[in-house]
Amino acid sequence: MKNIVVLGSTGSIGKNTLEVVRNLKDKFRVVGLSSNSRWELLAEQVEEFKPEYVALNDCESVEKLRRRFHKNQLNILTGSNCLKEIVSREEVDVVVSAVVGAVGLPAAIATIEQGKMLALANKESLVMAGHIVMPLARKDQILPVDSEHSAIFQSLHSGKPCEVKRVIITASGGPFYDYPMEKLSDVTPAQALKHPTWQMGQKITIDSATLMNKALEIIEAKWLFDLRIDQIDVVIHPQSIIHSMVEFCDGSVIAQMGMPDMKVPIQYALTYPERSPLMVQSLDLSSVGSLTFKKPDMEKFPALRLGYQAAKEGGTMGATLNAANEVAVQAFLVGKIQFTEIASYVEKVIHNHHFIKNPCLGDILAADTWARQEVKKCLI
Ligand code: NAD
Ligand code: MG
């Protein structure tokens, strides 16, 4: 029996994780849940899973939850360190990091430093500080939840690290892949939030539409699998059936496939190295019909080019790119900037930033703060 904490339990990955855990009751006991605000959903989750701790960010939500549960029944952790505190409870064995954004980094570092398993959906922590996070982790301590990285992780088992030629990360292309480039500046948040194949949180759905999500995933893959940039390719695959591939030195290409359902990579991260039965739709290739592939268009989707640039340059580049993108996505969602301006703001900020090649955590956090302020200044 392993004790598990789910950070971001009210989000898309968080809810899917609890669905997985609900069916693995003999293997996992939920000891902690966390959310930014949605206290009513969090309260329902507390009723069902009976964790000892919750971490909650929003003050109003904290008050409401306090009225609902007696303090002998539930410990409510609050404040800026609450994610770090909840993962640091002694009884915790496994942490699923499913919060969105840079806020996940300190908790990821604490989890790894304390030798606990980290099932990582929060790709932003590796994008920001992969060079700090990865050397702290032992082999297979960080298990990828991102579907592409889970696919690569699973495919890598077909050979040795020295036999890997390259990885091929698939991308659905998002809702605008075939949309005329000159009309992209006019797309609305509602259009951008309609992802063709995956149901996800708002931020990652916008990132999928700009292809910034793939940019972040290139950086995530570089750190997780210790790859050179010239070993990371991206291919557009609109059906999202092949979740990614690995090409070995003998020309064999191993792919991991399945219907798009995040419960599969979540469960694999939790049960690895074993597999457990899971109620998901079986892949019926004859009804899928055809699997198609296209070369990514970096002119139409400049975010992808920025991702390669940040992955190559390393240092503070990832943290700056990520922070600028977080603020720009928010600005697009509230109608302050156009869709195409998301990548332009990010490009401007990473271009102007004071680059540090070997940053410490303090430098990373400072770059993050600076980049947020830079975008906000342009928005006034
Ligand atoms: P979401 O917006 O649906 O959920 C985010 C969760 O984080 C919520 O529970 C929210 O309460 C919590 N949160 C947000 N801000 C917080 C803060 N400041 N402090 C504490 N908690 C906070 O997002 P999601 O789609 O579930 O994505 C979560 C992470 O997983 C992201 O890093 C995303 O890139 C990654 N991911 C998601 C998917 C997917 O299918 N949704 C796939 C791969 C990777
Ligand atoms: Mg992904």
Side-chain angles (χ1 to χ4, degrees), residues 8 10-13 36 98-99 121-124 146 200-201 204 262:
T10 56
S12 163
I13 293 288
N36 188 36
V99 289
N122 178 255
K123 62 192 89 182
E124 293 90 341
D146 214 344
M200 311 178 284
I204 185 175
M262 286 309 294

